[in-house]
Amino acid sequence: MNENALTTIRAEMPDYLSVDVETAGPTPDQFALLSIGACTICQPRQTFYVELQPDRESFDPQAMAIHGLDLDALRRNGLPPDRALLKFEEWVQQVVPPPHKPIFVAFNAPFDWMFVHTYFMRYLKRNPFGHKALDIKAFYMGLSGQPWEKTTGSHLHRLFRQADGLTHNALQDALDQAILFENMLAMLERDKPNSFPVREVSDE
């Protein structure tokens, strides 16, 4: 990546929002979106978090074990999905006001994007992100020239955060993703213009 591209990315950074979700299973047609966490990539960090009432009865026990959210508690205390998505849209528009357009950033973005986009369209018939989504895994792969197997969460979090991975709390994961992305850019700038440092980190 050349210096002009880095400058352009830095100029866009106020529009980048790190987003993470926790769900009841792998697909939004059968399983509910349970929580959304988000934060700005730029400092000062601004954050958003909401838990949703489940709108689907099915659940995957393995998925539920990962994040530990309780469906009965969410039915009592979570926001109805339409209100939760409206609050998220209002926050997005507050931190990235028009005419700027927010850019969705996530680790394994296809999964998080799938749920967020489906729920926005299901309940609000619109998505404030449009179709702008950046996958941190693919970003690293393109910059480093490393194969897909070297883009695992355990590998990249140890490489760029000196940490073992995510907590599976949607807000904390969004914050950790933001740090991960920031550190990728910082290392890239430090070694610019054309080299990206790759340090072998064992996944074992």
Side-chain angles (χ1 to χ4, degrees), residues 1 9 34 62-63 77 92 98 101 108 117 134 203:
M1 182 179 290
I9 290 174
L34 302 180
Q62 289 184 325
N77 303 319
V92 169
K101 302 292 185 181
N108 197 12
H117 179 67
L134 172 62
D203 284 331

Side-chain angles (χ1 to χ4, degrees), residues 28-173:
D29 58 335
Q30 299 180 56
F31 301 96
L33 173 62
L34 302 180
S35 65
I36 305 169
C39 69
T40 56
I41 302 269
C42 281
Q43 300 284 356
R45 202 82 81 199
Q46 299 182 68
T47 63
F48 174 86
Y49 181 73
V50 68
E51 294 181 351
L52 293 76
Q53 293 176 354
D55 64 351
R56 300 287 186 273
E57 293 301 318
S58 298
F59 64 92
D60 180 339
Q62 289 184 325
M64 299 301 297
I66 288 173
H67 51 67
L69 292 170
D70 182 87
L71 292 176
D72 288 335
L74 291 172
R75 291 185 185 102
R76 294 191 304 270
N77 303 319
L79 281 183
D82 56 343
R83 287 177 55 197
L85 271 293
L86 186 60
K87 283 176 66 71
F88 187 30
E89 180 186 55
E90 290 171 348
W91 180 83
V92 169
Q93 293 173 343
Q94 174 188 338
V95 297
V96 186
H100 294 276
K101 302 292 185 181
I103 298 171
F104 184 106
V105 179
F107 189 88
N108 197 12
F111 179 84
D112 300 87
W113 170 261
M114 171 176 63
F115 273 90
V116 169
H117 179 67
T118 297
Y119 269 70
F120 267 126
M121 298 308 296
R122 181 181 294 165
Y123 289 102
L124 301 188
K125 310 302 181 187
R126 59 185 183 269
N127 181 352
F129 293 98
H131 292 91
K132 293 184 176 181
L134 172 62
D135 179 33
I136 296 173
K137 289 164 65 73
F139 182 78
Y140 172 76
M141 186 178 179
L143 289 175
S144 68
Q146 290 292 291
W148 187 252
E149 65 183 16
K150 292 295 185 181
T151 69
T152 63
S154 59
H155 181 88
L156 294 188
H157 280 281
R158 288 202 297 270
L159 183 60
F160 290 102
R161 292 182 50 243
Q162 292 75 54
D164 287 333
L166 299 174
T167 64
H168 298 290
N169 169 276
L171 177 55
Q172 187 59 55
D173 287 358

